[in-house]
Amino acid sequence: MAMIQIREALRQAMQEEMRRDESIFLMGEEVAHYNGAYKVSQGMLEEFGEDRIVDTPIAENGFAGLGVGAAMAGMRPIIEFMTWNFSLVAFDQVINSASKIYQMSGGQYSVPIVFRGPNGLAENLGSQHSTSVDSLYAHFPGLKVVTYATAYDAKGLLKAAIRDPNPVVFLESELTYGIKGEVPDEEYVIPLGKADIKRPGNDVTLVTWGKQLFNVEQAAAELAKQGVDAEIVDLRSLRPLDHETLFNSVVKTGRAVVVHEGFLFAGVGAEISARIQEACFDILQAPVLRVTNRDVPQPYATNMEQLVVPSPERIVQAVRQVMER
Amino acid sequence: MAMIQIREALRQAMQEEMRRDESIFLMGEEVAHYNGAYKVSQGMLEEFGEDRIVDTPIAENGFAGLGVGAAMAGMRPIIEFMTWNFSLVAFDQVINSASKIYQMSGGQYSVPIVFRGPNGLAENLGSQHSTSVDSLYAHFPGLKVVTYATAYDAKGLLKAAIRDPNPVVFLESELTYGIKGEVPDEEYVIPLGKADIKRPGNDVTLVTWGKQLFNVEQAAAELAKQGVDAEIVDLRSLRPLDHETLFNSVVKTGRAVVVHEGFLFAGVGAEISARIQEACFDILQAPVLRVTNRDVPQPYATNMEQLVVPSPERIVQAVRQVMER
Amino acid sequence: MAESLTLPKKSSLEPLDRESLTHLYREMLLIRRVEELAAKAYTQRKILGFCHLYIGQESVAVGAAASTGDDYWMTAYREHGQAMAKGMSARTMMAELFGRATGSSNGQGGSMHLFDKENNFMGGYGIVGGHVPLATGVAWAAKQRKENKVCVCFFGDGAAHQGAFFEALCLAQLFKLPVVFICENNFYAMGTPLHRQSAVTDLSLRALGVGMVSEQFEGFDVEVVRDRVGAAADFARAGNGPVLLEIVTYRHRGHSMSDPAKYRPDGELDEKKKSDPLAITRARLADDFGMTDADFDAIQESVETEAQDAWDFAHASPEPDTSTLYDFTYAPQEG
Amino acid sequence: MAESLTLPKKSSLEPLDRESLTHLYREMLLIRRVEELAAKAYTQRKILGFCHLYIGQESVAVGAAASTGDDYWMTAYREHGQAMAKGMSARTMMAELFGRATGSSNGQGGSMHLFDKENNFMGGYGIVGGHVPLATGVAWAAKQRKENKVCVCFFGDGAAHQGAFFEALCLAQLFKLPVVFICENNFYAMGTPLHRQSAVTDLSLRALGVGMVSEQFEGFDVEVVRDRVGAAADFARAGNGPVLLEIVTYRHRGHSMSDPAKYRPDGELDEKKKSDPLAITRARLADDFGMTDADFDAIQESVETEAQDAWDFAHASPEPDTSTLYDFTYAPQEG
Ligand SMILES: Cc1ncc(C[n+]2csc(CCOP(=O)(O)OP(=O)(O)O)c2C)c(N)n1
Ligand SMILES: Cc1ncc(C[n+]2csc(CCOP(=O)(O)OP(=O)(O)O)c2C)c(N)n1
Ligand SMILES: [Mg+2]
Ligand SMILES: [Mg+2]
């Protein structure tokens, strides 16, 4: 076991897979000579050369499409969006090309590609640079959508995403690239579509994914002090969704709060809430509540910005509400 | 009262507003000389001339942005997407420009613009031409999202959308442009954010919007034969949402089924379901169920395609399920 | 400087003999007849949705196939003729248009989404300009694997204003990718003539802005198309980077079956029909290769049979099996 | 043909006298000093997020403002200097960077999103290329209302490969809109030099592909920028359509405060600093207008005061009132 930063875990995942499989290449803005805007691909140009670690001009729609075409032709591209905010100019390629080509071709062409980059809040960047794209992509069949909170999950899930024969949207975070975690020295892969219980508990199920896990863990610690034993379900894969782990937890606790970044309206939290009440209606002791961004474009000023995103306090408060029933 | 096609109702809305307000113009592909791909803008070039009814090249991102810039400068553009499928190449302009400029500028610049065009299934066009964008846009604060089923609503809501000082996403349907309905001779405007009870009932609430209203009405008729008295809530506005009408109905019936086109996962139906169980938890006699597209890219062949989208039969079946509790 | 780069005046291809030119003529005729049957099927509601006919443009696809037969192709939704030129059987294509299980995509794709992996026909796409970046990726793969293949990417005059098209040109030129971009300028994007779509009506100029080699020429003569596309493919194959070809052509029918095409100036269609690719090549075969009416009648007959057979096959084929509904969303994990 | 069109060799503007050139010098110096204070504030974590400094490029904004002061402007995120050149006070700007209620956007926008409606400064935007189409819309409005105004749209060399940029050029040329597109080529997009972003490094060539008039020139001399932007504005204002100007410049700092800019070749920065806009104009004022060191010291002093005052104002200003959180999402219905 080594303690490494999440950016190193992601890098190791790419390096190990690229050594194993010649057809994999990494392409994006500043990934090569600059070693990555957030240093995720540090040193990879040196190891793999310019044919496999490729800097691009600022043409996301173009190079996202390039990746899809290369995948159709049998390569396994990893396309880095410097941040997912910029994937909005490439939205058509991810949706109308990547997610649909396998179907349109009647199964003749698969699209084994990973789109990856940081998602959601990066602090004080204003509304154009703070979008969480989770629900935009998880909405579409044909895509898989994966994210992580820990270094261990980051590495194991990215390796699985690279090996998957389908387009995978892989959501990272600027704010956590530097967080360290234990990663085994031997190789491992975490299958997509499996949630992970990050904290077992009996009183309430806290459903989350991505970096909000850290807020949820803080809230759970505070709740423990207050005598509430929360179970934390880290979904990791938003599409496909691990119903079994999710529903088993809610069946046990009878209560659920969903916590995620990004907007409430038709967010992935809405889907989780709707599915829980569909599947666990008779068991639920209280409505499923959601803690998400408030319904405003992200403001720049710190005091306003922090008001908008989930906080341990808001999570504790929501849990209190569901416990009071 | 005159019986007119929905395309005429939409045209009247634009004509009346354009006569009233010099700053309004209509821009899009084939809207002028071709009189509209679906003849919505028939005759408008003749009445208003080339400065106000404007054909564009196939550059949606460009002319959507042009519209936003013109709106900032005080005009009131109506931007037609030939279909909303093509708005995916303009996604960045609708999200990162239109929905955020009022906020980024600290309220200095408002963006009074309407983006309109047909949405969802148009039959046998395959997966790239059958996308329902409802949840993609309703997800974002800063936008309003409006749709209709009848000629009356189409006209009144489009007039309100044109007068709104904010960007409005207005969702139409190829398949219903030719459907006729009664429209008053005198002017009227339907305020955004107000749902409409299309059928009063006591046993179950059917929540829907857009052309699925017709399937829901068929289902309600069938259910009536079976002794189930369904209330139909036509949301009309997805953002802002009319909670009052929605919750009052569910409080009365204790049961709800949400019916909409497009994908289930993080669709608007998920939001409705989540909000109903949040607000009406103690009243609900059964889980809120959803009838939506099945989770596959839209196939071309008719037999497969019809399997995917909602049908009266599927709606009746869902209602049966919630009634059995 | 951009202007200084040009294509070789002649391609590396040998001129066509009677037999091979006759073969191309037959292919063009087959496409023509199959499209006419598709139109008939559409009016009988055997084919639904959109149906964009290639009639009038056959020389482009057939000429290009004659010089890039083994290469990768990608194109838009007006692709029936291109799919057939690239090797898809009339049966498989017609069955897809009919939405049958025997179609090229099992009825999943339809008229706008023909795919034929065996023949490296990498698809028809419905988002104008959206497939152009894909072609750069196919060329990327071909280059990395040193396949000595190019990717031929067809699109219309209407696509030359799309950001996706421009970004693809930028990337292809920057990375010197073996792409032959073919803009089929048939004068109209739906009802909008080129001069109302663009300030410049010579679309090969688009290449100047990115430093790409380009050429504009009339594509009614299948031999000319074969030679110029061949020259472009030679250039790209040799590692010189991409080429933009603007091939001036004309569609005899409306944009799709639902378009009466009232926007044409009087007489334009008749004028253009004088340069019907079939008439041009027929005259050439008669004048320079001494083909007789009897010869042409024989071709006509075999084409009729093949086209009608495609209809019969499609008509007799079963609808897709609804139990396969979920089989086309995700590819299974290999191994 | 595109190439045949060119701008008038001289703009309609009178040459600058000592007083007005001194004024431009002072503006450039003020921008320089305010940016240096912003850098200091950033290292003290008084300014957070990204902070893209304009140091080295001052002559572009100030020269453009000297010829298009009443016109509409739109730009990207490296816009502190442009906002000030267009009339935003150092106080209002610094307060926005500090995220205070007294900032230009009440602290909602931040460094990348400065807006000043009073001065027709229509915003700084963060999506590369995304604002370029907006500029065509502003020009559309100006043209329809016969305002005799142009829209000046600034963007970087890195934006010249974006589809949004290309589509905006296509539309502006097709509709003959009064836009002056200014590509500030400072040689780098983040860490990527132009020659690795684009096959052509003369970005004014982008105009050829759409038939637009263009010109490339060095923009270190504020008088040159004023004249050439003036000439372009004259051209657009006269109804001749848009112009693309590529103004060659250089940024002395990294891409943003977090970029050490290690990618520069040795000596490049020192070499470029020889053409520091401040040095050039100072020399001109000294040599041709006889300004003395004392004169310059006086300017320096008043600039220091104004810049420090901006800092003090921002520092003393309150944070945004959290009760206004929901006030910036939807505009209220008028009347
Ligand atoms: C992005 C996008 N916008 C609009 C459309 C609707 N549309 C389909 S075909 C077409 C015209 C395309 O003309 P052209 O590129 O010249 O091809 P042609 O039909 O002439 O072969 C349009 C506007 C689309 N499919 N995709
Ligand atoms: C669409 C998009 N992609 C990527 C980014 C990240 N990014 C911000 S600035 C920048 C470089 C832009 O360089 P240039 O256009 O030359 O402007 P400069 O910074 O030199 O002023 C990049 C890649 C972005 N903001 N938007
Ligand atoms: Mg065309
Ligand atoms: Mg730059």
Side-chain angles (χ1 to χ4, degrees):
Chain A
M1 284 285 195
M3 283 290 283
I4 60 171
Q5 291 186 350
I6 286 176
R7 63 165 54 83
E8 297 173 88
L10 294 166
R11 187 185 312 142
Q12 285 182 7
M14 292 192 281
Q15 287 169 325
E16 290 174 14
E17 293 304 300
M18 286 182 76
R19 289 168 195 148
R20 195 182 50 75
D21 182 346
E22 275 273 307
S23 69
I24 302 169
F25 65 95
L26 171 66
M27 176 177 276
E29 292 152 14
E30 309 294 345
V31 297
H33 293 267
Y34 198 73
N35 286 295
Y38 302 99
K39 302 297 170 244
V40 173
S41 53
Q42 182 108 48
M44 290 177 69
L45 172 63
E46 208 177 322
E47 176 174 0
F48 298 104
E50 283 195 316
D51 286 350
R52 297 184 68 191
I53 309 293
V54 188
D55 282 328
T56 65
I58 307 168
E60 286 82 0
N61 198 48
F63 66 75
L66 187 157
V68 172
M72 292 175 75
M75 302 196 76
R76 291 184 165 264
I78 304 170
I79 299 296
E80 175 175 311
F81 292 120
M82 189 177 285
T83 80
W84 277 97
N85 299 287
F86 315 138
S87 76
L88 271 53
V89 300
F91 199 64
D92 179 64
Q93 287 301 336
V94 181
I95 303 307
N96 278 321
S97 298
S99 84
K100 296 173 182 176
I101 281 170
Y102 184 72
Q103 176 267 337
M104 290 192 289
S105 68
Q108 291 181 78
Y109 287 98
S110 61
V111 182
I113 187 170
V114 174
F115 299 101
R116 48 161 292 272
N119 179 48
L121 187 74
E123 290 184 351
N124 303 101
L125 297 185
S127 54
Q128 289 189 322
H129 279 69
S130 306
T131 308
S132 292
V133 298
D134 316 31
S135 65
L136 299 180
Y137 294 111
H139 184 59
F140 288 94
L143 297 179
K144 296 188 177 182
V145 180
V146 180
T147 186
Y148 63 82
T150 67
Y152 177 86
D153 288 348
K155 180 175 180 180
L157 289 166
L158 182 52
K159 283 169 70 82
I162 293 169
R163 294 180 187 189
D164 198 277
N166 297 288
V168 180
V169 164
F170 194 86
L171 305 174
E172 308 174 359
S173 164
E174 278 110 308
L175 296 179
T176 66
Y177 280 136
I179 292 180
K180 288 189 166 183
E182 291 220 318
V183 168
D185 306 321
E186 56 284 357
E187 178 173 49
Y188 67 100
V189 175
I190 301 174
L192 307 185
K194 294 260 163 290
D196 183 47
I197 307 277
K198 285 290 193 303
R199 181 189 195 281
N202 294 306
D203 300 341
V204 60
T205 299
L206 300 180
V207 185
T208 192
W209 57 91
K211 67 174 177 285
Q212 285 304 318
L213 175 68
F214 302 117
N215 281 334
V216 170
E217 285 176 332
Q218 277 188 50
E222 169 59 29
L223 287 162
K225 293 198 201 107
Q226 304 178 15
V228 178
D229 182 23
E231 175 150 297
I232 300 177
V233 176
D234 178 358
L235 290 176
R236 299 195 299 195
S237 290
L238 302 179
R239 185 181 261 279
L241 205 56
D242 180 354
H243 292 111
E244 198 185 352
T245 306
L246 178 65
F247 296 155
N248 287 345
S249 176
V250 176
V251 166
K252 180 172 66 173
T253 64
R255 294 178 166 80
V257 172
V258 189
V259 181
H260 68 82
E261 246 184 68
F263 298 123
L264 177 86
F265 196 104
V268 174
E271 186 63 32
I272 305 301
S273 170
R275 290 192 184 201
I276 290 175
Q277 64 88 39
E278 284 162 14
C280 312
F281 186 76
D282 300 317
I283 290 111
L284 276 179
Q285 304 296 308
V288 180
L289 296 188
R290 294 173 287 165
V291 179
T292 70
N293 281 23
R294 300 193 195 271
D295 198 38
V296 299
Q298 192 64 264
Y300 165 76
T302 304
N303 66 326
M304 300 290 255
E305 182 171 72
Q306 289 307 317
L307 258 188
V308 170
V309 291
S311 64
E313 297 66 35
R314 284 174 60 197
I315 299 165
V316 168
Q317 196 194 359
V319 171
R320 282 268 192 62
Q321 259 178 279
V322 300
M323 294 311 296
E324 272 155 18
R325 317 268 312 202
Chain B
M1 282 289 195
M3 283 290 282
I4 61 171
Q5 292 186 352
I6 285 176
R7 62 165 55 81
E8 297 173 87
L10 295 166
R11 186 185 312 142
Q12 285 182 8
M14 291 192 282
Q15 288 169 323
E16 290 174 14
E17 292 305 300
M18 287 182 75
R19 288 168 195 147
R20 195 183 50 75
D21 182 347
E22 275 273 306
S23 69
I24 302 169
F25 65 96
L26 171 66
M27 177 178 275
E29 292 151 14
E30 310 294 344
V31 297
H33 292 268
Y34 198 74
N35 286 295
Y38 302 98
K39 303 295 170 244
V40 173
S41 53
Q42 181 109 46
M44 289 178 68
L45 171 63
E46 208 176 321
E47 175 174 1
F48 298 104
E50 284 196 316
D51 285 352
R52 297 184 68 191
I53 308 295
V54 188
D55 282 329
T56 65
I58 308 167
E60 285 82 0
N61 198 46
F63 66 75
L66 188 157
V68 172
M72 291 174 76
M75 302 195 75
R76 291 183 164 265
I78 303 170
I79 298 297
E80 175 175 312
F81 292 120
M82 189 177 284
T83 79
W84 276 98
N85 300 286
F86 315 137
S87 76
L88 270 53
V89 300
F91 199 64
D92 179 64
Q93 287 301 335
V94 181
I95 302 307
N96 277 322
S97 298
S99 84
K100 297 173 181 176
I101 282 170
Y102 184 72
Q103 176 268 337
M104 291 192 290
S105 68
Q108 292 180 77
Y109 287 99
S110 60
V111 183
I113 187 171
V114 175
F115 298 102
R116 48 162 292 274
N119 179 48
L121 187 74
E123 288 182 352
N124 303 101
L125 298 186
S127 53
Q128 288 188 321
H129 279 70
S130 306
T131 308
S132 293
V133 298
D134 316 31
S135 64
L136 300 179
Y137 293 111
H139 184 59
F140 288 94
L143 297 178
K144 296 187 178 184
V145 179
V146 179
T147 186
Y148 63 82
T150 67
Y152 177 86
D153 288 349
K155 180 174 179 179
L157 289 166
L158 183 52
K159 284 170 70 83
I162 293 170
R163 295 181 187 189
D164 198 277
N166 297 288
V168 180
V169 164
F170 194 86
L171 305 174
E172 309 174 358
S173 164
E174 278 111 306
L175 296 178
T176 65
Y177 279 136
I179 293 181
K180 289 190 167 182
E182 292 221 316
V183 168
D185 306 321
E186 58 285 354
E187 178 172 49
Y188 68 101
V189 175
I190 302 173
L192 306 185
K194 295 257 162 292
D196 184 47
I197 307 278
K198 285 290 193 300
R199 181 189 195 281
N202 294 306
D203 300 341
V204 60
T205 300
L206 299 181
V207 185
T208 193
W209 56 92
K211 66 174 178 284
Q212 286 304 318
L213 176 67
F214 302 116
N215 281 334
V216 169
E217 284 175 332
Q218 277 187 50
E222 168 58 27
L223 287 163
K225 293 199 201 105
Q226 304 178 17
V228 178
D229 182 24
E231 176 151 296
I232 300 177
V233 176
D234 178 358
L235 290 176
R236 301 195 299 195
S237 290
L238 302 180
R239 185 182 260 280
L241 204 58
D242 181 355
H243 291 112
E244 197 185 353
T245 306
L246 177 65
F247 296 155
N248 286 346
S249 176
V250 176
V251 165
K252 179 172 67 173
T253 63
R255 294 176 165 83
V257 172
V258 189
V259 181
H260 68 82
E261 245 184 68
F263 298 123
L264 176 85
F265 197 104
V268 174
E271 186 62 33
I272 305 300
S273 170
R275 290 191 184 200
I276 289 175
Q277 64 88 39
E278 284 162 15
C280 311
F281 185 76
D282 299 317
I283 290 111
L284 276 178
Q285 304 296 308
V288 180
L289 296 187
R290 293 174 287 164
V291 178
T292 70
N293 280 22
R294 300 193 195 274
D295 198 39
V296 299
Q298 192 63 265
Y300 165 77
T302 304
N303 66 326
M304 300 290 257
E305 182 172 74
Q306 289 307 316
L307 259 188
V308 170
V309 290
S311 65
E313 297 65 36
R314 284 174 60 198
I315 298 164
V316 168
Q317 197 194 357
V319 171
R320 282 268 193 61
Q321 258 178 276
V322 300
M323 296 309 296
E324 274 156 16
R325 317 266 312 201
Chain C
M1 242 318 272
E3 287 91 327
S4 65
L5 301 162
T6 51
L7 293 181
K9 284 279 142 285
K10 288 282 306 141
S11 79
S12 59
L13 299 163
E14 293 306 314
L16 293 163
D17 58 18
R18 169 178 168 151
E19 187 188 352
S20 33
L21 184 58
T22 305
H23 174 68
L24 300 192
Y25 175 77
R26 187 187 185 284
E27 282 195 46
M28 293 195 288
L29 188 63
L30 179 64
I31 292 168
R32 175 75 53 98
R33 290 297 299 133
V34 168
E35 288 288 63
E36 284 166 353
L37 282 188
K40 181 173 153 202
Y42 193 89
T43 56
Q44 298 179 9
R45 301 194 47 73
K46 287 185 166 55
I47 296 173
L48 300 164
F50 294 151
C51 188
H52 309 90
L53 302 179
Y54 199 61
I55 293 174
Q57 303 179 210
E58 297 90 344
S59 49
V60 178
V62 172
S67 46
T68 62
D70 308 333
D71 293 303
Y72 300 102
W73 280 23
M74 273 186 163
T75 185
Y77 49 83
R78 190 179 300 285
E79 90 283 39
H80 306 164
Q82 293 159 339
M84 290 176 64
K86 196 70 169 64
M88 185 183 288
S89 75
R91 282 184 160 206
T92 308
M93 196 208 62
M94 193 65 91
E96 187 63 25
L97 269 54
F98 275 56
R100 302 306 168 96
T102 53
S104 44
S105 293
N106 306 72
Q108 286 279 327
S111 163
M112 296 194 283
H113 306 307
L114 301 173
F115 288 76
D116 181 2
K117 190 168 186 176
E118 239 171 59
N119 290 302
N120 284 336
F121 185 74
M122 300 185 77
Y125 296 86
I127 305 299
V128 167
H131 65 290
V132 187
L134 302 182
T136 65
V138 175
W140 177 275
K143 185 181 180 186
Q144 291 302 319
R145 293 191 301 233
K146 306 195 170 36
E147 289 178 354
N148 202 34
K149 277 190 163 50
V150 305
C151 183
V152 180
C153 181
F154 299 88
F155 50 90
D157 46 289
H161 330 293
Q162 265 286 343
F165 157 78
F166 171 72
E167 292 187 12
L169 258 58
C170 287
L171 292 169
Q173 190 61 38
L174 177 63
F175 296 136
K176 290 241 175 302
L177 301 176
V179 187
V180 177
F181 295 99
I182 296 182
C183 178
E184 287 187 83
N185 177 2
N186 62 7
F187 289 89
Y188 293 97
M190 272 193 176
T192 308
L194 183 52
H195 66 85
R196 290 202 296 108
Q197 298 173 55
S198 174
V200 293
T201 51
D202 175 350
L203 294 174
S204 66
L205 286 175
R206 294 282 197 251
L208 291 184
V210 300
M212 192 180 293
V213 174
S214 69
E215 189 172 293
Q216 181 194 49
F217 63 91
E218 273 208 348
F220 301 110
D221 182 337
V222 71
E223 293 178 279
V224 171
V225 174
R226 171 178 173 268
D227 180 71
R228 300 321 296 149
V229 173
D234 292 343
F235 181 91
R237 220 182 294 281
N240 300 312
V243 178
L244 172 62
L245 297 179
E246 178 189 353
I247 304 185
V248 176
T249 178
Y250 196 76
R251 65 163 153 80
H252 294 181
R253 301 298 184 99
H255 169 71
S256 69
M257 284 299 296
S258 59
D259 169 27
K262 298 222 181 70
Y263 42 79
R264 297 187 209 265
D266 292 347
E268 182 180 272
L269 182 56
D270 298 337
E271 185 53 38
K272 293 290 184 182
K273 281 189 172 173
K274 292 180 189 156
S275 49
D276 182 327
L278 285 170
I280 288 173
T281 301
R282 181 177 175 133
R284 161 96 157 127
L285 283 167
D287 303 349
D288 302 349
F289 293 107
M291 294 232 328
T292 65
D293 289 359
D295 297 328
F296 288 114
D297 293 347
I299 296 172
Q300 184 84 35
E301 200 174 303
S302 79
V303 163
E304 290 303 336
T305 316
E306 187 171 349
Q308 188 55 50
D309 165 75
W311 170 299
D312 299 339
F313 173 79
H315 189 67
S317 294
E319 287 188 322
D321 175 350
T322 54
S323 72
T324 65
L325 181 61
Y326 292 96
D327 297 354
F328 299 101
T329 306
Y330 292 100
Q333 188 68 254
E334 304 91 340
Chain D
M1 240 320 271
E3 288 92 325
S4 65
L5 301 162
T6 51
L7 293 182
K9 284 278 143 285
K10 287 284 305 145
S11 79
S12 59
L13 299 162
E14 293 306 315
L16 292 164
D17 58 18
R18 168 177 169 150
E19 187 188 351
S20 33
L21 184 58
T22 305
H23 174 68
L24 300 192
Y25 175 78
R26 187 187 184 283
E27 281 196 45
M28 293 194 288
L29 188 62
L30 179 63
I31 292 169
R32 174 75 53 99
R33 290 298 298 132
V34 169
E35 288 287 63
E36 284 166 352
L37 282 188
K40 181 173 152 203
Y42 193 89
T43 56
Q44 296 179 11
R45 300 195 47 74
K46 288 185 164 57
I47 296 173
L48 299 164
F50 293 152
C51 187
H52 309 90
L53 302 179
Y54 199 60
I55 293 174
Q57 305 180 208
E58 298 89 344
S59 49
V60 178
V62 172
S67 46
T68 62
D70 308 333
D71 293 303
Y72 300 103
W73 279 24
M74 272 187 166
T75 185
Y77 49 84
R78 191 179 300 285
E79 90 283 39
H80 306 165
Q82 293 159 339
M84 289 176 64
K86 196 70 168 67
M88 185 183 288
S89 75
R91 282 185 158 206
T92 308
M93 198 212 55
M94 194 64 91
E96 187 64 24
L97 270 53
F98 275 56
R100 302 306 167 95
T102 53
S104 44
S105 293
N106 306 71
Q108 285 279 327
S111 164
M112 296 193 284
H113 305 307
L114 302 172
F115 288 76
D116 181 2
K117 190 168 187 177
E118 241 174 58
N119 290 302
N120 285 334
F121 186 74
M122 300 184 77
Y125 297 87
I127 305 299
V128 167
H131 65 290
V132 187
L134 303 183
T136 65
V138 175
W140 178 275
K143 185 181 180 187
Q144 291 303 318
R145 293 190 300 234
K146 307 198 169 33
E147 289 179 354
N148 201 34
K149 276 190 163 49
V150 304
C151 183
V152 180
C153 180
F154 299 87
F155 51 90
D157 46 288
H161 329 294
Q162 266 286 342
F165 158 78
F166 171 72
E167 293 187 12
L169 258 57
C170 287
L171 292 168
Q173 190 62 38
L174 176 63
F175 296 136
K176 291 241 175 300
L177 301 176
V179 187
V180 177
F181 296 100
I182 296 183
C183 178
E184 287 187 83
N185 177 2
N186 61 9
F187 289 89
Y188 293 97
M190 273 193 177
T192 308
L194 184 52
H195 65 86
R196 289 203 296 106
Q197 299 172 53
S198 174
V200 294
T201 52
D202 176 350
L203 294 174
S204 67
L205 286 173
R206 295 282 197 249
L208 291 183
V210 300
M212 192 181 295
V213 174
S214 69
E215 189 172 294
Q216 179 193 50
F217 62 91
E218 275 208 348
F220 301 111
D221 182 337
V222 70
E223 293 178 279
V224 171
V225 174
R226 171 179 173 268
D227 181 71
R228 299 322 295 149
V229 173
D234 292 343
F235 181 92
R237 219 181 295 279
N240 299 313
V243 178
L244 172 61
L245 297 178
E246 178 189 353
I247 304 185
V248 176
T249 177
Y250 196 76
R251 65 164 153 80
H252 294 181
R253 301 298 184 97
H255 168 71
S256 68
M257 284 299 294
S258 59
D259 170 28
K262 296 222 182 70
Y263 42 79
R264 298 188 211 264
D266 292 346
E268 182 180 270
L269 182 56
D270 297 337
E271 185 54 37
K272 294 290 185 183
K273 281 190 172 172
K274 293 182 189 152
S275 49
D276 182 327
L278 286 170
I280 288 173
T281 302
R282 181 178 172 131
R284 160 96 156 127
L285 283 167
D287 303 349
D288 303 347
F289 294 105
M291 293 228 336
T292 66
D293 289 358
D295 298 327
F296 288 114
D297 293 346
I299 297 172
Q300 185 82 39
E301 198 173 305
S302 80
V303 163
E304 290 303 335
T305 315
E306 186 170 349
Q308 189 53 51
D309 165 74
W311 170 297
D312 298 339
F313 173 80
H315 189 66
S317 294
E319 288 188 322
D321 175 350
T322 53
S323 73
T324 66
L325 181 61
Y326 292 96
D327 297 354
F328 300 101
T329 307
Y330 293 100
Q333 188 68 254
E334 305 91 339

